[in-house]
Amino acid sequence: MMTSFFDQFASPSFLGIPLIAVAIALPWVLFPTPPSRWLNNRLITLQTWFITRFINQLLLPLNVGGHKWALLFASLMVFLMSINMLGLLPYTFTPTTQLSLNMGLAVPLWLATVIIGMRNQPTAALGHLLPEGTPVLLIPVLIVIETISLFIRPLALGVRLTANLTAGHLLIQLIATAIFVLLPIMPTVAVLTAAVLFLLTLLEVAVAMIQAYVFVLLLSLYLQENV
């Protein structure tokens, strides 16, 4: 058994070389590529249908200027979902459990939405810091509060994704360890615990997909305020 439950979140290495780059690049290798024929196979058709429906729902509240982000949002959604799902397999590493990776994705994308708002409509972008009809005495306090909430957004994006995936992995490992301990002592309880573990795994599959969707959805909402 591992010395610590948190050892599973350590970046693997081979000959002193971190393998996190391999874990990040692997999902792109597994994606099916469209064939040169007129008719696609079922997998390509399903993938195209899913991405199209996702982009239509995501860009529905945005104006035409925000539609330029469709390719970026679709790629980010598929990338995060693939990494999260592959991380549920045994003996695999989930890069999105690393706060550094999630913040590396959240901060530049959030900053891009803010810069776009400042460049295209600076008055409206700054107007979000002060709600209309605010009493004069509360103006300085509200400006400080709204500024802090603005800069907390990328931190919330990264921490939310990291915390949800880390908690799920830890819970699965704790229950799996309990099964191995209970199996020779109380087999019936171990079987019931295994059933709970199976249901929890299904829940984690849903969480892996939902968290990827929430990450991209919040970015689209931030973009909606600035375009």
Side-chain angles (χ1 to χ4, degrees), residues 38-50:
W38 282 95
L39 296 177
N40 294 326
N41 56 34
R42 291 183 178 89
L43 184 59
I44 296 293
T45 304
L46 181 62
Q47 175 183 311
T48 305
W49 175 84
F50 169 75

Side-chain angles (χ1 to χ4, degrees), residues 135-158:
V136 179
L137 295 178
L138 295 179
I139 288 178
V141 178
L142 279 180
I143 290 178
V144 173
I145 293 175
E146 291 296 330
T147 304
I148 294 175
S149 66
L150 177 66
F151 283 96
I152 283 179
R153 285 180 175 181
L155 181 62
L157 277 178

Side-chain angles (χ1 to χ4, degrees), residues 32-64:
T33 55
S36 57
R37 299 189 297 266
W38 282 95
L39 296 177
N40 294 326
N41 56 34
R42 291 183 178 89
L43 184 59
I44 296 293
T45 304
L46 181 62
Q47 175 183 311
T48 305
W49 175 84
F50 169 75
I51 293 177
T52 303
R53 290 300 300 267
F54 166 72
I55 290 299
N56 288 338
Q57 292 295 325
L58 195 66
L59 300 183
L60 190 61
L62 298 178
N63 56 25
V64 180

Side-chain angles (χ1 to χ4, degrees), residues 170-182:
L170 283 176
L171 194 55
I172 288 177
Q173 186 173 2
L174 284 170
I175 296 179
T177 305
I179 292 174
F180 281 107
V181 172
L182 292 173

Side-chain angles (χ1 to χ4, degrees), residues 3 12-13 46 76 95 158 197 220:
T3 57
S13 60
L46 181 62
L76 183 61
L197 179 60
S220 69

